[in-house]
Amino acid sequence: MSKHRLDPVGTIAAEPSSIAVEWRKTALVIIDMQRDFMEPGGFGETLGNDVSRLANAVKPCAAVLDAARDLGMLVIHTREGHRPDLSDAPPAKIERGAPSKRIGDAGPMGRILIQGEPGHDIIPALYPIKGEVVIDKPGKGAFYATALGEILKQHEIENLLVCGVTTEVCVNTTVREANDRGYRCVVLADCCASYFPEFHEMGLRMIKAQGGIFGWVSNSSAVLDAIAQSAPKSISAGGAR
Ligand code: TIU
């Protein structure tokens, strides 16, 4: 899979312990880095949140995305949202929030959390390129009502590097779903963010507690280091084939 002469296995410094991953069996999963969550006027703000709190995750996530692309790693982006007719949006989800600002209502970035609207799209800094998988999901978890499980199986993926927003909602839900399906999830702390710093912190602690009950917590520089250590010739001496 790699464009470089890569050692097949890398070791990522993480908590509660470092983790060895076979790069060929590892995917980068970027959860819901959409304008609706990251920018003013979208779903996140209609829920009463300060969306500027999510901005710090973008640069580290872009660095990992660049490295993953360079390796030829499977890259998966997800987007939370619904069909324009709301047929995949449960009433119990829609009816929450202020009546004038619900899912499907018009906002400055188009109808809130609706597929095809500007707000539903991924932010420019992390925009998918050709060949990358984009999963549209109606729920918080990326496995529910999507083809994600089948796609991971087709690619023989065993490990997920997980980035995105928000830490305690869609990232945590997806990690729990993935953990039950047998995937090793390594959540990159600085590539995730929450509207609530304390939920970010606790969301990560819940994952790595009890010997890594849901997975591992690491960060962007640990992944970049692990890649560099796996590919010393290609990265330090420009030895790409
Ligand atoms: N509200 C909140 O924190 N998050 C969501 O509604 N979706 C995701 O986390 N993507």
Side-chain angles (χ1 to χ4, degrees):
M1 76 174 217
S2 171
K3 296 176 196 165
H4 300 293
R5 254 173 271 131
L6 191 72
D7 284 346
V9 177
T11 301
I12 302 171
E15 293 180 309
S17 59
S18 62
I19 172 170
V21 296
E22 206 175 327
W23 295 117
R24 187 175 68 77
K25 297 184 175 178
T26 302
L28 174 64
V29 180
I30 304 179
I31 304 284
D32 299 358
M33 287 292 212
Q34 294 161 257
R35 298 183 63 198
D36 254 329
F37 294 106
M38 311 289 293
E39 296 183 13
F43 183 60
E45 195 173 75
T46 72
L47 297 174
N49 298 309
D50 173 3
V51 295
S52 70
R53 290 186 182 278
L54 306 189
N56 284 348
V58 175
K59 264 197 183 161
C61 189
V64 174
L65 177 59
D66 275 353
R69 284 172 174 166
D70 198 37
L71 289 187
M73 187 181 282
L74 178 66
V75 175
I76 295 173
H77 305 259
T78 72
R79 300 186 296 200
E80 180 179 348
H82 298 279
R83 297 186 195 124
D85 65 1
L86 297 176
S87 58
D88 60 351
K93 183 176 183 183
I94 299 175
E95 69 200 14
R96 271 171 269 180
S100 59
K101 296 174 178 173
R102 289 180 174 162
I103 293 169
D105 288 342
M109 292 190 290
R111 292 178 66 203
I112 291 167
L113 224 61
I114 298 296
Q115 292 165 6
E117 299 288 341
H120 177 262
D121 214 349
I122 292 171
I123 58 170
L126 299 171
Y127 210 75
I129 59 172
K130 197 166 177 284
E132 294 177 351
V133 177
V134 179
I135 299 281
D136 280 323
K137 63 187 187 61
K140 304 303 182 193
F143 288 83
Y144 168 67
T146 74
L148 179 59
E150 286 76 41
I151 291 167
L152 295 177
K153 268 192 205 125
Q154 276 165 20
H155 288 267
E156 300 179 350
I157 296 299
E158 297 179 356
N159 317 299
L160 307 179
L161 305 180
V162 187
C163 302
V165 296
T166 61
T167 315
E168 79 281 12
V169 182
C170 292
V171 171
N172 247 270
T173 306
T174 299
V175 166
R176 289 165 190 234
E177 287 182 324
N179 181 59
D180 278 349
R181 287 163 173 78
Y183 296 99
R184 298 180 198 92
C185 295
V186 184
V187 180
L188 307 185
D190 56 337
C191 305
C192 297
S194 169
Y195 304 117
F196 306 91
E198 66 275 29
F199 290 174
H200 174 75
E201 176 66 25
M202 286 300 169
L204 297 172
R205 282 177 63 181
M206 282 183 219
I207 287 163
K208 69 186 177 186
Q210 303 182 65
I213 194 81
F214 296 121
W216 288 255
V217 175
S218 184
N219 55 59
S220 58
S221 55
V223 170
L224 299 178
D225 284 352
I227 291 171
Q229 279 162 24
S230 291
K233 291 185 192 77
S234 62
I235 287 179
S236 62
R241 281 189 276 213

